[in-house]
Amino acid sequence: MVQKIDRQELQMLFLEALSGASYRYIEGLNPFRILLNGTEYWIYIKNLTSAHFENPDVWRAQLPQRDDFEPIKESEADFILLGYDGDNDVYATWNPVWVKQRLNSTGNVSFYSRLSLQQQAREEKQLKRMELSNEGEVVVFPRELIRMFFINVQSYFLAEGDYVAMGSKRRPEANEAFKTFTDSANVAEFAKYLADEGMSQVTIGNYCRVVKNLISDGTITRNRKIFYAFDSLSEYRLAIPQFVALDEVHEKNEKWHNLISAALNAYLDYLTRISQEIRPEGTGNLILEIEDDTESDTQTENPVEEAFDVPVTNLFEYFCSDGALQKFEEYLTPKDYLPATVKRYVRAIKFLLNAGMIQLHRDLFDACSSYKEYADAADRFFSIPDIHALNEHKHHDYSAAMKQYVAFLSETQAYARNDEEPHLLQEREPLPYGSHMVEEPVSEPEPIVHDWEAEYTDENGKLTRIANPELIDILRPYLDVEYPKKAAAFNAIERIYGNRFPNMTLADWGKLMNAINWADPYVHDAPVSSSSSSPISVTLEAPKRSKTHILRVEFPDGTVLQDKNVSETYARAIKLIDPDLVALVNLSHAGVGVVSKTLDSRYAQYQKPIGDGWYVMTNSSTNTKCNDLQTISDELELDLKVYLVPLDGSEITVLPHVEIPEGTRAKIRVTFPEGRVIFPAKVLEALVEVVKYAGADRVRDLGIICCGDNLILKNPAPRYEKPCKPVGNGWLCNTCSDTGTKFAQISEISNRLGLGLKVEMI
C-alpha cells in the first residue's frame, strides 16, 4: 500500500526541489502561492494513488472541493495541480487551464496517470508525456526536474490559453516573442548592450532594475494579453503605451520617475537587434538600417536613443552634450566642493538627460537666446509637477545641480542661436543664475541621500564594500546572527540591486558579507581638512550618513517627542512606553535586545541608560528605529503615531514599513475538533478565541502565569490594562506576550483540558 504524505511535507518537498531557482514564496499551505520566473502560480499537490480499477496501472490524483479554491479560481494566476508519487519521487501534472476550470465543479475530480509512466520517468530521469483516452494529456517528470518543467510549462500544454486566440490556432511566433520578452536571463546581456551604446552606469543600473522588476514581480505576465495581441517583438512598441497606461504600471512609472517607457523601449532595441542579428541571411533587415520617416515619431518618444555627440550648432545641443558635462565637472573641481558633491551634481544632470526629461521639455530652453536666460527656463522646468515631485524626492538635488550647470555655461560659454554675437556680462549686469561671483559665501544645498554604490564601485564594475545603510539594515537579520543565512542575504541583495553588478560572483558577494563589521557597520566619511585660503572651509567630521529626517512620536494623550537627536527620541519613547512592556515584544538588533538590563561587551557604547537598570540599544538606522516603534505600538496596541520629519521642511509623511524578512513573523493556526479553523492576522486573537472556547473559569484554574499574574484575571495592573482582552463572565485574558509564548499557552490549555486542538505556528 502506498504511504501517503501529509500536505505540509508535500509542500516542503516541492520547495526543496526549487532550491536555487528565482522564486518567492507568497502565502498558503498547499494550496500555496509563489512567484517563479516572473509568473505567479497557485500550486496544489496531492498524493498519487491507485485508482483501484481492474487495470492496476491506472493511478490518479483527486482534486477535492474546498472553500479556499474559490478565490484561486477567480484569480489571474495560473493554477498547477501536481500529483506526487513518493515511491518514485515523480510528479504528474495536467493542463493548467483545464484543471482550473474544474476547481469546485463537483465533490471530487480525478486526474489520471499511469504507474508504468511514473516508473519510466524515474528510471530514465526524463520528462514523459502520454495522451489519455478521455482525459487529455498527462506530463510526468522526476522531482529534481521541477525547475526545468516550470521554465517550459507553457510549451507543454498549447491547447488552451491566451496565445491560442488572436487569429491562429497556436500562434507560436507570439508565444516565442513573449517568452523572450519575459526571460530575465536577458537582462545581463541587456546591461552590456547599454554599456556598448555609451550609457552611463547610473542609467544602465536604472534601466536594468526597471526591466527585471517588471519581469520578476509578475507585472508583465499578469498583463500578457496586451503583448499576446502582437506576433513579434518588433510590434511590441505598440504594446508598451498600452502597458504603461495600466493603473498599476502607471503607479510604478510615477514611483520610478517615468523610467518604464524609456527602459522598455531600450530593452526592445536590444531584443530586436539580437533577434535580427541571429536570423539566417536574407530573412530580415538589420535593425541598424536607417528607418523611414514613418518611424520618426517612435524614435523621438524614446529618450534612450537621443545622441549628444553631434556638432554643436545651437545652445541646446551643447547644453545636452557630453563635452559640456565633462567641462562642467572640471569647472566645479577647483571650487572647494567635496568630491562627492561634484559627482552628485554631474550625475544629476546626466540623469535628467539620459532619462529624456530635459529633451521632453526642450521648448522651454529653445525659447532662450543665451545661457543666462536658461535660469528662468530652469525655474519653469522644475515647476512642472512630475519634475517637481522628482526633485522633492531627491531633496532638491536636481535643481541645485542645474543651478550650478547654468552658472557654469553662463560664465564660460558663448554659443548663440542664429549666429548672434556672443552675450557677455556687463559691469553692472545682474549676476547669472546661481553664479559664484558673489561676495558672500554660498551655502551648500541640503544634504542628499548618498549613491553609496557609485562611490564604492571599482573600474571593473564590482562593488568593493556594502556601504548602503538601508541595505545593511535589511541584511542584519540574516548575517548578524549566530548562524548566518547567506543564501537569504544574497536573495535580498538581488532584490535590491537586480543586475546592477553583473560582474559580481557569489564569491565576491560572500567576501563583502564577511567584511561587514557588525559592531560598527556604517561608513564614516573622512574629515575634510580646512584651508585658510578657501572661501568656504569645512572642519567638522561628516556624520556617518547624510541625515535627511528626524523622528517624531505622538502618544494618544497628546505627548509629542521630537528631538534633533534621533536616538534621544527613540530612547525617551521607549522609556515612556515602559521598558517592561517593550521587552515583551522581543525586538533585538545585532543579537542585543532593544531593551536590556545588561550591557553587551561589543555594543555597550550604543546602549543608552533610561533608568531602573534598563538600557536601550541605539545601533540602528533612523528608518529602523521608526519601524521598531511602530511594531511596538502595533504589538501592544498603543495607537502611537510615528513619523519621519524631513529636515528640508517638506511635508511630514509616515515612513513605509521596512519589509520583514520572510519567516520572521509567525502566526498561529488552530483547528478545532469540529473542523473549524482560525488563522487570524493577530496572534492574540487566536489565544482569546481558544480561551473563550475552553471557558475562562477553567483556564484560570490551570494557574498559567503571565507577567507575574494569572493569565486570566479581572483586575490587571495599570500597565497591562490595554493588552487584557475580555473573554466572558467579566474575565480578562492578558495577551501581553510574544508569539512563542502564546503558542505555548494555547498548547498547554488544549493538552491540560483535553480539548483536542491542533495548534500550528506558521
Side-chain angles (χ1 to χ4, degrees):
M1 181 177 179
V2 177
Q3 182 178 0
K4 291 187 177 181
I5 301 172
D6 68 54
R7 64 190 187 122
Q8 186 169 3
E9 186 175 351
L10 287 171
Q11 178 180 351
M12 296 307 298
L13 287 169
F14 174 87
L15 296 177
E16 177 186 89
L18 277 184
S19 178
S22 176
Y23 83 95
R24 177 164 63 88
Y25 169 80
I26 301 176
E27 63 174 322
L29 174 61
N30 200 14
F32 55 97
R33 187 158 58 109
I34 64 171
L35 193 66
L36 176 62
N37 299 330
T39 302
E40 188 176 294
Y41 296 99
W42 275 102
I43 311 292
Y44 186 54
I45 310 174
K46 290 283 289 184
N47 288 286
L48 278 170
T49 59
S50 172
H52 302 292
F53 293 167
E54 290 184 5
N55 181 359
D57 195 39
V58 179
W59 279 39
R60 69 183 177 187
Q62 290 190 302
L63 186 64
Q65 194 168 20
R66 296 169 56 107
D67 291 340
D68 51 3
F69 283 156
E70 284 304 318
I72 297 175
K73 191 170 184 176
E74 298 300 321
S75 75
E76 292 293 327
D78 293 333
F79 179 78
I80 305 291
L81 172 66
L82 296 173
Y84 181 63
D85 174 358
D87 291 342
N88 292 296
D89 197 22
V90 299
Y91 289 119
T93 191
W94 302 265
N95 190 306
V97 177
W98 183 58
V99 174
K100 192 173 184 180
Q101 290 173 349
R102 286 155 176 76
L103 283 174
N104 286 351
S105 61
T106 185
N108 272 300
V109 182
S110 294
F111 293 87
Y112 293 95
S113 179
R114 298 292 183 268
L115 176 60
S116 57
L117 190 69
Q118 294 155 206
Q119 293 170 336
Q120 186 180 4
R122 166 47 52 204
E123 292 168 1
E124 298 180 13
K125 297 183 179 179
Q126 293 182 355
L127 182 142
K128 298 293 179 182
R129 309 170 68 157
M130 175 181 284
E131 294 286 343
L132 303 175
S133 56
N134 297 317
E135 303 294 342
E137 184 180 41
V138 62
V139 173
V140 180
F141 55 92
R143 185 167 62 95
E144 62 265 25
L145 297 184
I146 190 71
R147 294 171 60 185
M148 181 271 289
F149 167 77
F150 274 99
I151 290 173
N152 301 285
V153 61
Q154 290 186 348
S155 66
Y156 296 136
F157 303 103
L158 292 176
E160 299 178 68
D162 294 327
Y163 45 83
V164 176
M166 307 294 182
S168 62
K169 185 177 180 182
R170 303 233 173 158
R171 302 184 69 237
E173 296 87 358
N175 191 49
E176 187 61 32
F178 187 74
K179 183 178 178 181
T180 301
F181 189 64
T182 55
D183 186 354
S184 59
N186 289 327
V187 178
E189 291 300 320
F190 175 47
K192 296 178 182 178
Y193 162 81
L194 293 177
D196 291 341
E197 291 294 300
M199 292 285 184
S200 69
Q201 286 298 315
V202 173
T203 303
I204 293 172
N206 287 334
Y207 282 10
C208 289
R209 272 198 298 275
V210 166
V211 172
K212 189 164 186 178
N213 189 289
L214 292 172
I215 294 173
S216 63
D217 73 358
T219 303
I220 293 176
T221 303
R222 284 195 299 275
N223 300 287
R224 56 186 176 272
K225 290 183 180 180
I226 292 175
F227 298 94
Y228 273 130
F230 303 95
D231 288 311
S232 66
L233 288 168
S234 61
E235 297 174 339
Y236 272 23
R237 289 202 187 279
L238 301 176
I240 288 176
Q242 301 176 44
F243 176 71
V244 174
L246 295 171
D247 288 342
E248 67 167 318
V249 183
H250 180 71
E251 184 179 344
K252 287 177 180 284
N253 202 28
E254 289 188 338
K255 179 180 177 181
W256 295 339
H257 315 306
N258 302 308
L259 279 174
I260 288 182
S261 180
L264 289 182
N265 277 295
Y267 184 51
L268 278 180
D269 285 345
Y270 159 70
L271 293 177
T272 51
R273 179 174 297 187
I274 295 303
S275 65
Q276 295 284 359
E277 288 175 351
I278 63 175
R279 285 184 183 179
E281 185 175 353
T283 61
N285 297 323
L286 286 176
I287 197 72
L288 294 177
E289 291 183 352
I290 298 176
E291 299 177 347
D292 59 31
D293 293 339
T294 60
E295 297 294 329
S296 61
D297 290 341
T298 303
Q299 285 183 329
T300 303
E301 292 176 1
N302 181 9
V304 176
E305 298 189 11
E306 290 287 340
F308 306 127
D309 55 351
V310 294
V312 177
T313 58
N314 61 30
L315 294 169
F316 188 76
E317 288 177 356
Y318 186 72
F319 180 73
C320 298
S321 68
D322 287 335
L325 285 172
Q326 183 176 349
K327 290 182 179 180
F328 176 47
E329 184 171 2
E330 295 170 356
Y331 165 87
L332 290 177
T333 301
K335 288 186 171 290
D336 297 310
Y337 284 114
L338 295 174
T341 302
V342 174
K343 290 180 181 178
R344 285 203 306 271
Y345 283 172
V346 175
R347 198 160 51 227
I349 300 300
K350 280 186 177 180
F351 173 84
L352 294 173
L353 291 171
N354 290 335
M357 296 179 184
I358 291 177
Q359 295 89 328
L360 186 63
H361 302 284
R362 175 172 181 165
D363 57 312
L364 295 175
F365 301 93
D366 275 344
C368 302
S369 59
S370 70
Y371 283 128
K372 174 190 171 184
E373 296 178 10
Y374 269 41
D376 292 334
D379 287 339
R380 294 193 294 272
F381 175 73
F382 284 107
S383 67
I384 297 169
D386 287 348
I387 309 299
H388 177 76
L390 170 64
N391 194 36
E392 287 280 315
H393 178 71
K394 286 295 185 180
H395 310 286
H396 304 277
D397 187 41
Y398 294 116
S399 59
M402 181 69 77
K403 184 176 181 180
Q404 303 306 326
Y405 190 44
V406 171
F408 149 71
L409 292 170
S410 298
E411 293 177 24
T412 62
Q413 304 302 320
Y415 292 98
R417 297 167 63 247
N418 302 324
D419 298 320
E420 294 178 0
E421 289 297 318
H423 179 80
L424 301 177
L425 289 175
Q426 302 300 318
E427 183 178 355
R428 296 182 179 275
E429 185 176 1
L431 291 172
Y433 181 69
S435 173
H436 277 282
M437 299 169 60
V438 292
E439 297 179 3
E440 297 296 327
V442 178
S443 60
E444 285 277 338
E446 290 290 338
I448 68 162
V449 177
H450 284 305
D451 185 348
W452 297 98
E453 290 72 22
E455 296 180 24
Y456 289 91
T457 301
D458 64 17
E459 65 277 5
N460 298 317
K462 291 190 176 185
L463 197 65
T464 59
R465 173 171 181 167
I466 295 177
N468 189 319
E470 302 304 324
L471 178 58
I472 289 171
D473 290 338
I474 291 172
L475 295 180
R476 189 188 290 275
Y478 300 122
L479 300 178
D480 190 19
V481 292
E482 185 176 359
Y483 300 103
K485 301 175 182 177
K486 288 192 176 180
F490 177 75
N491 289 336
I493 290 172
E494 190 176 43
R495 286 196 296 271
I496 296 296
Y497 289 143
N499 199 57
R500 179 168 180 178
F501 298 101
N503 296 334
M504 292 284 288
T505 65
L506 282 174
D508 293 331
W509 287 116
K511 290 178 181 178
L512 295 187
M513 293 178 200
N514 292 336
I516 299 175
N517 175 17
W518 289 108
D520 188 12
Y522 304 112
V523 174
H524 295 261
D525 294 337
V528 181
S529 59
S530 61
S531 173
S532 58
S533 61
S534 302
I536 304 173
S537 63
V538 181
T539 58
L540 297 178
E541 182 178 351
K544 293 180 182 179
R545 289 160 281 173
S546 297
K547 183 192 288 187
T548 59
H549 296 76
I550 58 175
L551 195 59
R552 177 184 178 91
V553 185
E554 297 179 3
F555 286 75
D557 63 2
T559 301
V560 176
L561 303 179
Q562 181 179 320
D563 195 276
K564 291 183 179 180
N565 186 312
V566 173
S567 294
E568 181 67 23
T569 304
Y570 181 64
R572 288 174 60 200
I574 289 175
K575 181 177 181 179
L576 193 57
I577 292 168
D578 192 328
D580 288 287
L581 291 179
V582 174
L584 297 172
V585 181
N586 200 27
L587 290 174
S588 65
H589 298 301
V592 180
V594 164
V595 291
S596 173
K597 286 201 169 186
T598 58
L599 289 173
D600 184 82
S601 58
R602 294 173 64 193
Y603 296 98
Q605 60 179 315
Y606 301 108
Q607 290 179 276
K608 187 178 183 67
I610 57 173
D612 295 331
W614 286 103
Y615 297 93
V616 174
M617 173 65 160
T618 62
N619 186 29
S620 58
S621 70
T622 301
N623 287 11
T624 301
K625 291 181 176 72
C626 184
N627 279 278
D628 282 350
L629 293 175
Q630 191 62 61
T631 299
I632 293 167
S633 177
D634 293 343
E635 290 289 334
L636 301 178
E637 299 184 356
L638 302 175
D639 297 326
L640 302 182
K641 294 181 180 179
V642 188
Y643 306 98
L644 288 185
V645 180
L647 293 176
D648 61 6
S650 57
E651 184 180 354
I652 298 175
T653 56
V654 179
L655 177 75
H657 287 299
V658 174
E659 181 182 354
I660 299 171
E662 295 174 8
T664 61
R665 179 66 61 84
K667 295 191 291 185
I668 296 176
R669 177 168 55 201
V670 181
T671 305
F672 294 81
E674 69 274 17
R676 180 167 63 102
V677 177
I678 61 171
F679 191 35
K682 287 188 175 182
V683 176
L684 68 87
E685 294 174 4
L687 174 61
V688 169
E689 187 64 24
V690 168
V691 172
K692 289 180 179 179
Y693 176 83
D697 297 271
R698 297 174 66 199
V699 176
R700 177 172 172 79
D701 291 341
L702 297 177
I704 300 174
I705 301 300
C706 181
C707 300
D709 203 342
N710 198 301
L711 177 67
I712 310 299
L713 69 173
K714 287 191 175 180
N715 298 300
R719 70 174 61 173
Y720 301 119
E721 285 179 353
K722 196 167 186 66
C724 286
K725 307 300 178 185
V727 287
N729 296 328
W731 292 109
L732 302 172
C733 177
N734 190 349
T735 64
C736 199
S737 58
D738 60 19
T739 299
T741 300
K742 290 184 177 73
F743 176 82
Q745 290 167 347
I746 294 172
S747 299
E748 183 177 357
I749 292 169
S750 176
N751 294 335
R752 293 178 63 183
L753 295 180
L755 302 180
L757 305 179
K758 181 180 180 182
V759 188
E760 302 167 278
M761 187 159 63
I762 298 173

